[in-house]
Every structure is written in structure tokens, then in C-alpha cells.
Amino acid sequence: MSIEEHDYIGFSEANMEKKACDITNNKDLNLKATELRLGLPGFESPEREAVNGGAIKNLVAGAKRGFSDTINGGSGNWVFAGNGGSEVNLVKNGGLFSCSKVENKNSGCVKETAVLASPKPVLLEKKSANSNVPAPKQQVVGWPPIRSFRKNTMAVGQTKNTEDNDPNIGSGCLYVKVSMDGAPYLRKVDLEIYSSYLDLSSALEKMFSCFTIGQYGSHGAHTRDGLSESRLMDLLHGSEYVLTYEDKDGDWMLVGDVPWDMFIGSCKRMRIMKSSDAIGLAPRAMEKCRNRT
Amino acid sequence: MKLLQQSMDPNQKRAKAVDRVDSVDTGVASFDSTRMCPFPDEVLERVLSLIDSHKDRSSVSLVCKDWYNAERWSRRHVFIGNCYSVSPEIVAARFPRIRSVTLKGKPRFSDFNLVPEYWGADVHPWLSVFATAYPFLEELRLKRMAVSDESLEFLATNFQGFKALSLLSCDGFSTDGLKAIATHCKNLTELDIHENGMDDLGGHWLNCFPESLTTLQVLNFASLNSEVSFESLEKLISRNKSLRVLKVNRNISLDQLQKLLLQAPQLSELGTGTFMQELISCPITDLKTTFSNCKNLVTISGLWDATSLYLPVIYPACVNLTFLNLSYATLRSGELSNLLQHCKSLRRLWLLDTVGDKGLEAVGAHCPLLEELRVFPADPFDQEVFLGVTESGFVSVSEGCPKLRYVLYFCRQMTNAAVATIARNCPDFTHFRLCIMNPGQPDYLTKQPMDEAFGSIVKTCPNLQRLAVSGQLTDRTFEYIGKYSKKLETLSVAFAGSSDLGMEYVLGGCPKLRKLEIRDCPFGNGALLSGLTKYESMRSLWMSACNVTMNGCKVLAKERPRLNVEVMKDEGGDGSEAHKVYVYRTVAGPRRDAPPFVLTL
């Protein structure tokens, strides 16, 4: 079987002489159905159905793929990058983002995906006009032309459709709510900016210090935040409070048990609980409470 | 900045005698300068010092030697649009009394990750020269430059009177660099940090402002993610009574904003933090009152997570607003409509496409004075769900806002007819940037290329300065552009054109063209070389993923020694293609700091 080079909508080279309007005049042809989606290895899209078996699965699996040079003299064909210079090449810190709606099975956030293009033909079988499978659209480096800051920020998934409780997964941001028993309002922290539990806990201590000061008065030396760090550490690591989180399964867990990366991948929100309320937590949490009192 | 006249020796001391090439008076050795130049130098300098526009100043400097000298001594601000077009030494030699520098570095497509890391545009060589030449430098505005923490520290410690720093789309530094600025710049009036590729190591930099600092006028840290100490911020705001611009980051809550605004009712530009809070400690009416007490507010931005719950608190301030930046607020049409009814004076509006066409109808209905509209996509990579705005939203705005001059519009469908209508409704366009997000997409109704759309723009809008095209385009688009757009200065092209002719049309027309940036188009060496005589009158040309080869670039480089023709090598490929080409005029010669992957031919 010879592999015939196809352009993105599944037409062979021979047909590329046709003007683009011929193609687009085919009203049954759903352009979306013939589009290519690229993703990280092991990356599953919930919308994807098993179509054309191997070809699509390979693409989903992030196998190396290339795009033929479809530049020709025909008018209006949409043009991919040229040989060896495809903009689909890996660019360091290139911003090829996978669809932000897709579930990420890996721990951590969706980082920029890499798409490699050695000039190989695309293994794409010709789509039938009646195909009703929404095939993925190919994403090109630097397109649409949106600056990185905006891309990173909007990838947090700010649309109203997302549940308030959903951790907003995106590259660069992972905001989760943090509540503290007795505090009048909640805070939100971006887990992405911390690199360890220590980082996180000192940040939380600073954030919530104003609520504990009322209860404990002015003991010890004061920092700018109003309460000495050592005093705070005592409070939070002492018998009064435990730091817990709700994971993806809806269970409340003690912060600190799992590796950091796993934690930020599964944490939906956090709660600084009075340890007296921490009954019914994972046994280790309860044991920890008992040890403290 | 215009190319320096190399025949004029910048080191020449100021001389009273006029030394012009004058065909009438070639035999005259010395010349009574008052005959042709009736002003003494001091008067001339004083008059010229009132001229701010750098274009005017360039014109002034070309009149005669006297004026050239008077201009160079009176210039306080220098604008360098391409940091490699000139060297810091040349600048320092020509302009001895600079207090303010604006410097732009990387090609604009670096914003979209098309320029590899470590490409260049390092600010440090500039700072080294300025430390000696301009020890009294007060202002530095950098765009797309590589800036390190060391450079920021150098800046902070070597320029005693330094006042204003603005960093836009720069990269390479961290909040540690900001600490240095905050610590050492005792007379700081402006710190404007906007959307940089920087490392945010924490908000401690804000604590580095000394208690003695009271001169701050502009503070923008909206794009920094880390939380700052609210206590420090509040104290800083309360003692800097001249503060006119304050843009905080998302971590600042509504409660905190309330406190800040009570301290700073004099603000003219405000960037809020998050506009959603589960439990707010003060009544909403308090917030509303606070906003109504900010009588000078003309710009509001931020408004992260804003909903109809808290948005009404800004209504009292809306009546005077001229610029509303909602591009980080995921509003729906209803919320926007309610808001805009209060915003009759609006001149500039930035939105997310979550407002939909219906939201844009509200824009057309309530903002008759609108001059600038930018609509950004909330989810640019969204494949499955059809969201956002269409051609009909754009048409609605054009019907209600005839004064539109500047539009940036991201959409997923467009028609030639709609754009023709828009052009008719808004003939004053100076900036028309249309991004149909699917590359090479035709008119979705007629299936024709979008040639006629851009044709109608260039034919109907005589003042067009900047154009960005998209959709399926043949060479005809470029024929129109070359033929009709007499004032076009900047053109951005992607996934368009059919042959070399396209680019040739543009290079053959467009007398005012300064910046041409092209990606993924079928333009080859013929097209590249057709601009041989034009590139020296332009700032720069960018071509990536086109059909240009190394040979073509070599020919260009050979024919035009005053251009730098740079090719960025690509991994893979056989080395004969010129994958990324950046051509620009320069008086500084080839770059000496080019990384290995940049070849100057």
C-alpha cells in the first residue's frame, strides 16, 4: 500500500489543483470533521471517538507527524508552512496549547505541547463527506496571534460554564479556593506558583494571619503581617488547625501525604480546619490530631 | 528614527558658522549666519525644545547644519524603534542631553513565540553606554527587550535621578530586579510592568519601596501573579498623593480595593483586582460611593471575574470613562449592555468575545463616540463549541459608532459584504486588524476569498495606517492594498496570497510602508528582491515559513549593504531554505551579539 500524501482536508496531491472554492462548495463537507487535533502523548480528548482506527489514535498519541508542503500555484489553497520550516516545528517555549477543555489525566497542568514536523506526509485517510465525527483541528504555532500573557491567563478557563469548585487548569495558573474556619471570607491561591508544601504553607500562614491575631493577641515579635512567623507556625502546626484539601474524588484529605505534583494535580480546594472538627478525616489525619493535643 | 545622515559628523562641535552645501555660495568661506538663519542659536534651541514629536524633530534636523545641531542639543527624548538599527554609541554621540529613552527590540512576531529564545535585544549594552553618556537619565521605556535582573540593578544604582521605568513584553528578569528598582530609585514616579515574560518569585518587591517615597504617579503590577502585602500597598498609596495610575493584580480583593480607593480618590486610571468575592465585608453601596468619589477616573481595567453582582459599583464612575478595558472580564451580553448604558463618553473599549454579537449590538447602541474597539477571543483554541462574535456584531458596532478608527477583531466567520458595509459606515479607519481565526478561511456564505473585504477597506478608508489581514486571500487582496493604501505603514499577513505577485504589489505600492511582517505565505525570492529599493525606507521586514531561500537572501544582502539581512537557522531542513528572515535598515552594521542560530548575510 502506498501512502499518498494528503493535505489537511484529505485530498490527495492530484486534487490540489482544484481551487479551494470547489472544496468549500461541498456543503456536506464539514471542515471540522477533517481537521486534525494534536495532543500530548497519553492525552485523551473526551470528544474523540475512535475513528479510522490507527491514524487518529496515532495523532492523539502524539506520534511524530508532519505536514506536507501544500503550497502550490492554485489560488486560495490554504497554505501550510514550507518544508523544514513549518511553523509547526518545535519552538522553545512555543505556545501550542491543546484544547483547554480537555481533561488532563496526568498530574500537573497542561504544558505547552510540542509538535514536530519533519516533512513527512500526513497519514490521513480521505474523509467521507458524511463523516459526522468532529476531527480535531490542527493548531499552529503562534496562531491565532495572541500574546502569551493573555493565552496563559485565559487558559484558566474563566467561562461561566465552569463550576466554581473546579480547579482551573491551564498552563501557568491553578487557582483553588482556601477557606479557614472562622474567617469571614475565602481566599484563592494559585498552586502553580509554589514549588513545595513548605512554600504553600508559609504563604497560607501569611494570608490568614489576620484572622488568628484576633484570637491570640500580640504575642511575640511582629512582622509586617502582624504576627510572628514562629507564632503562626505554632498555631498552624499545633493543635488548633489542620490543613486539609478536597481531592478530585470529593474526599477530604490531609495536606502533605502525597507528593507535591500529585497534590496540585488533584487538589480542588483547601480548608484550614479546627482540628477538633477533623473527625472523619483519613485516619492518619486523626492520628496526627491526637498526637498534637 | 530616520537613518542618520552619515555625511554629518555627529562629533562636530557646535559652530556658529553655517556650513551648508549650497550651490549658490560655494566660494564663500565664512558666512554671516544671521542672513539665512535669523535666530541666535540659543533662541533656535529654545524654540526647537518645544517640539516633542520625534518625526518632526527628524525633519527639523534635515533642514541645515545649524538646525541639525540645535535639534540634537535640545532633544530630551529619543525613540528607537529597532534597537539594532543604531548603536548606543552613535546615539550618545549625536544626542548629548537625553533624559528619556524609548527602545524597542524584538520583531513583533516574538509575541507569538515565532522568535527563539536568546535571540538578542539585550538592554545591557545600552545601559552601559548610558551610564556614562546620560547619568541623569530619568525615563526608560522598553518593549520586547531582553532585560536581566542585573540590568535592572545596574539601572537602579547608576542613574541617580532615575524616575520612570516601563517594561512591556520584555523578558529575562524577575521580581528580584523590581526589588532593586524599588529600593534604589529614590525619586521614582513610574513603575509600569506590563505583560512580560518574567519570573514572579513573590510579592516582596513591593515592600522595598522606602517609607520616604512620595513621588509615585504610576504603579502598574496588574500582570504579576504573586500576592503583595496589602498593608505595604495601602501605606504606599496613602503617602503618594500624586498617584494617578494604579493597576493592581488579581489578588487584590474588593474589600482591599475599597480601602485603596479611599486613600486615592484622585486616580485617573484604575486597574482593579478581582471583582468577585464570596463575602464582602462592607456594603455594596459603600463601594459604589467610593467609586463615585473618584472624580478623575477616565480609565478602568482589570475587573477580573466580574459579574452583575458587583459590576454596578462602577456605574457612578462610568459617566466620565473614556477607556474601559473588559478584556479579562468574561461578561455576557446582558451584563455588558447594562454596564454600557452608563458609558456614554466611551472612546476606547476592549472586550472578550463572551459578550457575543448581542453584546456588540449594545456597544453600537450606547457608545456613539467610540473610536477604538478590540474584541479578544476568550477561548482561541476552542474547537467544538461555536462561541464568540461574528460579522454581524461587527456590523452592529459600525452602525452605531461611525467614529471608529481602531479595530482589532477576532472572529470565526466573516463575509465580504459585511466588511464592505463596515467600511462604508466607518470611513475613518486608521487601524484595521481583522483576525479570522481559522487560517485561510473564505467568506462563509459565498465561499469566495476575502479579497473584496480588504479591498473595500483600502478603497474606502484613505487614512489607513495599519492593516492586518486574514482569511483566504489571493494576490488580488495585495493588488488592492498596493494600489489604494497610500498611507499604510504597517501590514501583517498570514496564510495568504497565491504567488510572488502578492508581495510585489505591496512593495510596488504603499509609499509609506515601514513595517511588513509575513508568515506562511507563498512568497519567494522574486518577491523578496522586488523590494530591493524599498527596504531602506522601511524599519523592517519579517518573513517566516515562506518560500525564500538562502540564495535570495544573499543577493539582497549583497545589493544592500546598509540592510542587515538575518536568517534564523532552523533545526532540520536542508539548509537552503531561509525559514525565518528578518531584514532591517541599520547604521550600526551587522549585529555583534547574534546567537549562533542567527546568520547575518
Side-chain angles (χ1 to χ4, degrees):
Chain A
M1 177 186 71
S2 66
I3 294 169
E4 198 182 9
E5 192 169 308
H6 294 273
D7 72 1
Y8 84 109
I9 52 174
F11 280 78
S12 64
E13 283 261 4
N15 289 343
M16 276 166 41
E17 292 309 308
K18 277 189 187 184
K19 287 190 185 294
C21 54
D22 287 349
I23 298 164
T24 54
N25 274 340
N26 181 351
K27 292 182 178 48
D28 291 335
L29 183 67
N30 177 1
L31 280 177
K32 279 194 191 268
T34 60
E35 288 160 343
L36 212 59
R37 186 200 298 275
L38 308 168
L40 278 172
F43 199 94
E44 295 291 338
S45 162
E47 304 95 324
R48 191 181 313 292
E49 295 162 14
V51 156
N52 295 328
I56 301 293
K57 283 225 164 77
N58 277 345
L59 296 165
V60 174
K64 254 194 197 184
R65 62 195 76 85
F67 295 91
S68 57
D69 177 1
T70 59
I71 296 166
N72 65 5
S75 70
N77 263 341
W78 85 255
V79 165
F80 273 83
N83 296 333
S86 167
E87 285 310 86
V88 187
N89 267 343
L90 173 63
V91 172
K92 203 167 179 193
N93 300 326
L96 235 208
F97 288 86
S98 312
C99 178
S100 57
K101 288 210 171 101
V102 181
E103 297 282 4
N104 183 4
K105 297 275 191 287
N106 303 324
S107 68
C109 293
V110 176
K111 298 289 182 210
E112 288 105 342
T113 63
V115 176
L116 307 177
S118 45
K120 286 187 199 145
V122 175
L123 293 176
L124 190 61
E125 294 169 37
K126 185 167 172 170
K127 289 283 171 294
S128 75
N130 293 328
S131 166
N132 58 2
V133 174
K137 182 185 288 187
Q138 180 252 348
Q139 290 186 24
V140 179
V141 169
W143 190 266
I146 294 166
R147 287 160 64 179
S148 301
F149 178 80
R150 174 169 292 282
K151 257 196 303 211
N152 294 341
T153 310
M154 299 317 294
V156 174
Q158 293 187 49
T159 63
K160 299 282 173 28
N161 296 332
T162 57
E163 274 285 334
D164 257 359
N165 287 340
D166 274 355
N168 297 305
I169 299 178
S171 127
C173 287
L174 185 61
Y175 279 96
V176 299
K177 285 187 196 174
V178 185
S179 61
M180 179 169 179
D181 291 357
Y185 51 79
L186 282 64
R187 303 304 303 268
K188 244 183 178 172
V189 293
D190 177 1
L191 291 181
E192 280 284 3
I193 66 174
Y194 305 110
S195 49
S196 67
Y197 284 120
L198 198 60
D199 261 4
L200 173 65
S201 77
S202 44
L204 289 179
E205 282 154 11
K206 289 200 174 77
M207 231 183 245
F208 287 92
S209 62
C210 51
F211 302 126
T212 50
I213 189 175
Q215 299 172 44
Y216 295 97
S218 47
H219 297 137
H222 287 254
T223 62
R224 279 182 202 259
D225 293 324
L227 200 63
S228 73
E229 280 204 14
S230 56
R231 184 71 192 138
L232 272 171
M233 302 277 277
D234 286 346
L235 289 174
L236 286 174
H237 293 158
S239 56
E240 287 298 320
Y241 293 91
V242 287
L243 182 58
T244 62
Y245 74 102
E246 184 183 11
D247 72 0
K248 278 190 150 55
D249 304 323
D251 297 325
W252 284 93
M253 313 286 292
L254 186 71
V255 168
D257 281 345
V258 299
W260 173 254
D261 283 346
M262 200 184 292
F263 165 70
I264 62 176
S266 58
C267 171
K268 275 172 60 177
R269 60 175 153 156
M270 288 188 279
R271 181 175 161 199
I272 303 174
M273 291 174 81
K274 289 203 157 76
S275 51
S276 50
D277 293 339
I279 301 164
L281 272 185
R284 202 180 135 188
M286 287 189 59
E287 197 178 37
K288 205 166 177 184
C289 295
R290 269 189 241 112
N291 287 343
R292 286 174 184 162
T293 40
Chain B
M1 183 167 93
K2 275 228 162 105
L3 270 182
L4 295 177
Q5 302 293 308
Q6 290 188 326
S7 56
M8 297 204 190
D9 176 5
N11 289 320
Q12 181 177 27
K13 291 198 174 57
R14 300 169 69 206
K16 290 243 180 227
V18 174
D19 180 20
R20 281 180 300 153
V21 174
D22 187 332
S23 55
V24 174
D25 294 309
T26 41
V28 179
S30 73
F31 201 91
D32 180 4
S33 63
T34 57
R35 245 176 60 188
M36 298 307 287
C37 238
F39 314 115
D41 286 341
E42 294 79 10
V43 174
L44 185 57
E45 238 179 85
R46 179 74 183 99
V47 169
L48 295 183
S49 70
L50 300 172
I51 298 179
D52 284 331
S53 144
H54 62 271
K55 283 181 187 165
D56 286 345
R57 279 187 162 268
S58 287
S59 308
V60 159
S61 69
L62 295 174
V63 170
C64 64
K65 208 79 187 217
D66 247 9
W67 282 46
Y68 175 85
N69 280 322
E71 193 279 313
R72 63 181 270 261
W73 280 92
S74 65
R75 194 187 289 223
R76 295 287 172 268
H77 170 242
V78 67
F79 170 85
I80 298 161
N82 173 5
C83 65
Y84 287 119
S85 66
V86 70
S87 76
E89 292 83 5
I90 294 176
V91 174
R94 178 173 172 185
F95 300 115
R97 292 217 197 127
I98 295 294
R99 294 287 165 110
S100 164
V101 176
T102 301
L103 196 48
K104 295 188 181 179
K106 300 182 199 173
R108 195 179 74 95
F109 277 176
S110 72
D111 283 351
F112 318 125
N113 299 315
L114 293 188
V115 175
E117 228 176 334
Y118 308 120
W119 177 83
D122 187 358
V123 74
H124 208 89
W126 292 85
L127 295 178
S128 304
V129 170
F130 290 166
T132 339
Y134 307 135
F136 302 113
L137 188 70
E138 292 176 358
E139 295 182 3
L140 188 62
R141 294 171 202 288
L142 304 178
K143 187 170 184 180
R144 294 190 199 101
M145 297 290 293
V147 180
S148 66
D149 286 341
E150 289 71 31
S151 293
L152 289 175
E153 173 131 21
F154 185 87
L155 174 64
T157 49
N158 283 278
F159 299 87
Q160 296 315 313
F162 191 74
K163 290 187 178 167
L165 178 65
S166 166
L167 298 173
L168 169 57
S169 286
C170 297
D171 65 277
F173 64 101
S174 76
T175 38
D176 285 349
L178 300 184
K179 278 186 190 172
I181 298 290
T183 307
H184 298 291
C185 299
K186 306 292 180 201
N187 300 309
L188 202 65
T189 59
E190 178 174 339
L191 185 60
D192 182 5
I193 309 298
H194 188 71
E195 298 191 2
N196 300 283
M198 59 178 288
D199 280 332
D200 191 342
L201 305 172
H204 316 286
W205 58 273
L206 191 89
N207 304 335
C208 296
F209 285 116
E211 302 269 338
S212 52
L213 183 69
T214 54
T215 48
L216 214 49
Q217 295 174 25
V218 175
L219 179 61
N220 173 11
F221 62 97
S223 56
L224 290 170
N225 288 326
S226 293
E227 186 162 342
V228 300
S229 152
F230 179 69
E231 197 183 323
S232 299
L233 179 61
E234 196 177 6
K235 285 195 193 143
L236 184 68
I237 302 308
S238 69
R239 67 177 183 271
N240 283 278
K241 292 297 181 196
S242 306
L243 199 66
R244 342 171 242 109
V245 177
L246 176 63
K247 297 184 185 174
V248 300
N249 65 14
R250 199 176 180 178
N251 297 309
I252 298 295
S253 68
L254 274 171
D255 276 338
Q256 292 171 331
L257 182 69
Q258 158 80 350
K259 293 189 183 140
L260 292 177
L261 288 180
L262 286 174
Q263 300 283 354
Q266 76 282 1
L267 287 178
S268 62
E269 295 183 32
L270 172 67
T272 75
T274 179
F275 237 64
M276 171 48 74
Q277 193 164 321
E278 295 234 340
L279 282 165
I280 198 172
S281 63
C282 64
I284 292 188
T285 44
D286 277 7
L287 257 176
K288 211 164 179 174
T289 308
T290 305
F291 269 96
S292 70
N293 285 335
C294 296
K295 306 282 185 205
N296 298 331
L297 264 187
V298 290
T299 296
I300 296 183
S301 60
L303 297 168
W304 307 86
D305 321 304
T307 65
S308 48
L309 187 54
Y310 292 113
L311 215 42
V313 308
I314 71 170
Y315 288 177
C318 285
V319 62
N320 294 322
L321 280 190
T322 55
F323 179 24
L324 185 54
N325 181 352
L326 297 168
S327 65
Y328 290 104
T330 50
L331 299 186
R332 299 288 200 229
S333 61
E335 292 156 330
L336 180 66
S337 178
N338 291 336
L339 171 58
L340 288 182
Q341 284 173 36
H342 298 85
C343 302
K344 301 289 182 194
S345 310
L346 221 50
R347 303 277 194 279
R348 304 172 63 200
L349 179 61
W350 294 16
L351 296 171
L352 275 180
D353 66 357
T354 50
V355 302
D357 287 335
K358 214 148 176 285
L360 292 179
E361 280 171 33
V363 175
H366 299 300
C367 305
L369 301 178
L370 200 68
E371 294 173 12
E372 175 179 329
L373 175 69
R374 302 196 195 196
V375 182
F376 296 94
D379 198 351
F381 306 105
D382 176 35
Q383 309 300 331
E384 307 305 319
V385 187
F386 186 84
L387 289 172
V389 293
T390 72
E391 77 281 6
S392 100
F394 200 164
V395 170
S396 310
V397 177
S398 74
E399 280 163 0
C401 308
K403 295 189 176 191
L404 265 189
R405 291 188 304 103
Y406 191 124
V407 169
L408 169 62
Y409 199 81
F410 283 86
C411 59
R412 290 185 172 88
Q413 67 185 48
M414 189 50 63
T415 67
N416 289 308
V419 178
T421 305
I422 290 160
R424 263 198 313 277
N425 291 337
C426 303
D428 293 339
F429 275 128
T430 56
H431 297 68
F432 191 83
R433 303 166 63 189
L434 177 62
C435 182
I436 302 166
M437 288 193 272
N438 186 11
Q441 184 176 296
D443 178 322
Y444 81 100
L445 287 180
T446 66
K447 311 302 183 197
Q448 294 298 308
M450 295 297 297
D451 297 337
E452 295 308 316
F454 295 103
S456 54
I457 290 288
V458 295
K459 285 178 201 168
T460 322
C461 307
N463 297 324
L464 198 66
Q465 256 174 262
R466 182 172 181 184
L467 181 63
V469 299
S470 60
Q472 183 190 72
L473 301 175
T474 72
D475 291 339
R476 167 129 296 179
T477 299
F478 303 102
E479 191 181 354
Y480 287 142
I481 294 173
K483 186 170 173 195
Y484 291 102
S485 42
K486 300 298 177 200
K487 294 197 182 164
L488 193 66
E489 295 181 16
T490 305
L491 179 62
S492 308
V493 186
F495 304 102
S498 328
S499 73
D500 280 0
L501 269 183
M503 189 169 164
E504 287 169 15
Y505 282 134
V506 171
L507 292 170
C510 302
K512 298 272 167 105
L513 195 65
R514 292 190 304 118
K515 287 175 279 183
L516 181 56
E517 45 186 29
I518 301 172
R519 60 165 292 181
D520 294 88
C521 297
F523 305 139
N525 294 335
L528 176 70
L529 293 172
S530 72
L532 210 60
T533 52
K534 196 171 183 91
Y535 297 131
E536 276 177 23
S537 67
M538 290 167 55
R539 182 187 293 178
S540 64
L541 165 73
W542 168 281
M543 287 180 78
S544 59
C546 298
N547 279 351
V548 175
T549 70
M550 290 295 280
N551 287 335
C553 296
K554 283 178 185 160
V555 171
L556 177 60
K558 183 156 175 282
E559 294 296 317
R560 285 288 177 267
R562 288 204 291 191
L563 298 177
N564 276 356
V565 179
E566 295 178 3
V567 176
M568 271 172 254
K569 269 194 303 194
D570 188 42
E571 302 133 29
D574 62 13
S576 69
E577 304 102 15
H579 173 56
K580 286 176 183 165
V581 179
Y582 185 47
V583 178
Y584 57 91
R585 66 181 181 188
T586 180
V587 293
R591 285 175 60 179
R592 273 162 289 162
D593 65 347
F597 60 83
V598 173
L599 299 170
T600 307
L601 302 177

